[in-house]
Amino acid sequence: MSRFFVDPADYKPDFMVLTGENAVHAKVLRLKNGEEVTVCDGAGRECVCVVSDVSNDQISLVVKAQQAALSEASVKVSVYMAFSKGDKFEHVIQKATELGAYEIVAFPSGRCVSKPDEKSLKKKLDRWQKIAASAAEQSGRGIIPAVVVLNSYKEALQRAAQADLGILFYENEQATTLRMALDAAHFETISLLTGPEGGLESREVEQASLAGLRVCTLGKRILRCETAPLCALSAVMYHCGEF
Amino acid sequence: MSRFFVDPADYKPDFMVLTGENAVHAKVLRLKNGEEVTVCDGAGRECVCVVSDVSNDQISLVVKAQQAALSEASVKVSVYMAFSKGDKFEHVIQKATELGAYEIVAFPSGRCVSKPDEKSLKKKLDRWQKIAASAAEQSGRGIIPAVVVLNSYKEALQRAAQADLGILFYENEQATTLRMALDAAHFETISLLTGPEGGLESREVEQASLAGLRVCTLGKRILRCETAPLCALSAVMYHCGEF
């Protein structure tokens, strides 16, 4: 069943109208009167609707039944990824959304490619949020993960440390495994930080430790910067009983 | 340290010569006399060597010390993926190699795009094996995972069922989680099967069950066909104490 996200203010109990990009998407899907779709407000509410009218720029829906939004994980996982080259961050946004991330956060670090400038950043954020929205629709999420961009490494550490458990992955860490960190904590929110192509500097790892993050290994193999966050997210979801 | 895989027959105790693609790769890396590299035979042997001579088409190495190949997982995971569109299989070969897969197997299923014909398949297999080799070098693997192509779904089931534990993931399965299947088994070899873009047919899922595979869920969210195998592989590696 097709899935549409509407603004919480537009989420009504009996009757709803899809406009803008939702209407465009509905047209692409060639929805017809009588077909059923799912509508979510991205904040936990979800219902099944029947298409009652299709016009050029809007789709009218009659709400058939409210339903529990079942697809959200019990743990809120924030995926923090250092700025990287090419479309790697876009790849991670799409996959992390499928895998159930609560939010995806980009941050600068010493060996990063430079952060996009203010002007191109606004455009990119727009694009990134759309990738998250599209992946959320396709994977049946109850929310669209927020894509967040931070201005400094320090800000990333402070923000990540506010979760019940904050973990930074470092390829030179050998003693502490992810399992040790997860087993030792009770958490409803967790932050997972991974570095850029060139890795994190040892100074940055010390800063993370001082900020209250656990420094963990993801195993003996060297993972690419776009593989590490998805591997960690999959393992955390598994650990928390999601599958 | 750069990493080279040589044929077991070319792996010598005192002195080795890199030729062919290894020599090309060494040239790209601009290796110089006195630099150290790691050489593996892809079958568990590994040593540190010092470059002793660089010429146009070969690199001479003096073996400095044998070392244990530490990077291989204790469990051998075979990743079975149904033929899919575009470069998704290539993506999975690269990532599954980083994540420690023992082999990567492509197979046809009912809703698959058609399997490549004999002629293009030979060329593709060549390319796929090179992707695995390159990812194995970069991630520090002790072996290059084999890329295998099967001719029928039935063959895939029979081959996968020979592992200590064989699991097929199905989006309509709700009762059996991956954790239940892993907790219930002792295994040193495991097969993980995932379907194509359109999913597996219910008939095919029944056949898998009859062949002795466990049918499991990967959670409430719908994963893309290239995300599911990597999510499952990450979780199995985590379960087996790799990180």
Side-chain angles (χ1 to χ4, degrees), chain A residues 2-3 47 64 75 86 91 100 105 116 134 142-143 164 219 229 243:
Chain A
S2 301
R3 202 170 180 83
C47 61
K64 190 178 162 191
V75 59
H91 171 85
V105 184
S134 165
I143 64 158
D164 297 338
F243 56 90

Side-chain angles (χ1 to χ4, degrees), chain B residues 177-189:
Chain B
T177 61
L178 174 60
R179 177 175 293 279
M180 289 161 70
L182 296 181
D183 278 344
H186 289 281
F187 57 94
E188 288 174 2
T189 57

Side-chain angles (χ1 to χ4, degrees), chain A residues 70-72 91 94-95 98 138-139 141 218-222 224 226-227 238-239 242-243, chain B residues 70-72 91 94-95 98 138-139 141 182 218-222 224 226-227 238-239 242-243:
Chain A
L70 278 175
S71 51
E72 286 309 302
H91 171 85
Q94 184 189 71
K95 301 303 178 206
E98 286 175 61
Q138 286 178 33
S139 58
R141 293 289 304 268
L218 276 174
K220 293 164 285 187
R221 288 164 293 275
I222 305 294
R224 282 171 190 248
E226 75 275 22
T227 311
Y238 175 77
H239 179 93
E242 284 291 306
F243 56 90
Chain B
L70 278 175
S71 51
E72 287 309 301
H91 170 84
Q94 185 189 70
K95 302 303 177 206
E98 286 174 61
Q138 287 178 32
S139 58
R141 294 289 304 268
L182 296 181
L218 275 173
K220 295 165 284 187
R221 288 164 293 274
I222 305 294
R224 284 171 189 248
E226 75 274 22
T227 311
Y238 174 76
H239 179 93
E242 284 291 307
F243 57 88

Side-chain angles (χ1 to χ4, degrees), chain A residues 30-182:
Chain A
R30 298 183 189 189
L31 286 183
K32 289 189 186 64
N33 283 0
E35 282 191 73
E36 294 192 347
V37 300
T38 306
V39 176
C40 323
D41 74 345
R45 286 184 299 176
E46 190 171 316
C47 61
V48 176
C49 298
V50 180
V51 176
S52 63
D53 190 57
V54 178
S55 77
N56 243 344
D57 52 1
Q58 65 177 47
I59 309 281
S60 303
L61 304 173
V62 174
V63 177
K64 190 178 162 191
Q66 298 295 324
Q67 66 183 15
L70 278 175
S71 51
E72 286 309 302
S74 57
V75 59
K76 289 183 177 173
V77 187
S78 300
V79 172
Y80 285 73
M81 180 181 177
F83 281 110
S84 54
K85 288 180 201 161
D87 56 2
K88 288 174 192 168
F89 188 54
E90 300 191 357
H91 171 85
V92 169
I93 292 171
Q94 184 189 71
K95 301 303 178 206
T97 299
E98 286 175 61
L99 293 167
Y102 178 69
E103 60 178 3
I104 301 127
V105 184
F107 65 89
S109 80
R111 292 189 196 138
C112 268
V113 293
S114 58
K115 179 170 157 289
D117 61 65
E118 261 337 290
K119 202 181 147 196
S120 68
L121 189 59
K122 205 191 149 334
K123 219 170 144 187
K124 284 199 174 181
L125 249 179
D126 231 48
R127 182 176 155 76
W128 291 340
Q129 199 59 63
K130 274 185 193 160
I131 292 171
S134 165
E137 281 167 9
Q138 286 178 33
S139 58
R141 293 289 304 268
I143 64 158
I144 301 172
V147 180
V148 179
V149 171
L150 302 180
N151 286 313
S152 72
Y153 182 67
K154 194 179 161 194
E155 196 182 344
L157 294 184
Q158 285 173 344
R159 195 176 185 279
Q162 284 168 20
D164 297 338
L165 178 60
I167 295 177
L168 176 126
F169 295 100
Y170 184 43
E171 71 271 25
N172 291 339
E173 172 61 36
Q174 294 184 338
T176 308
T177 61
L178 173 60
R179 176 176 293 279
M180 288 161 72
L182 297 181

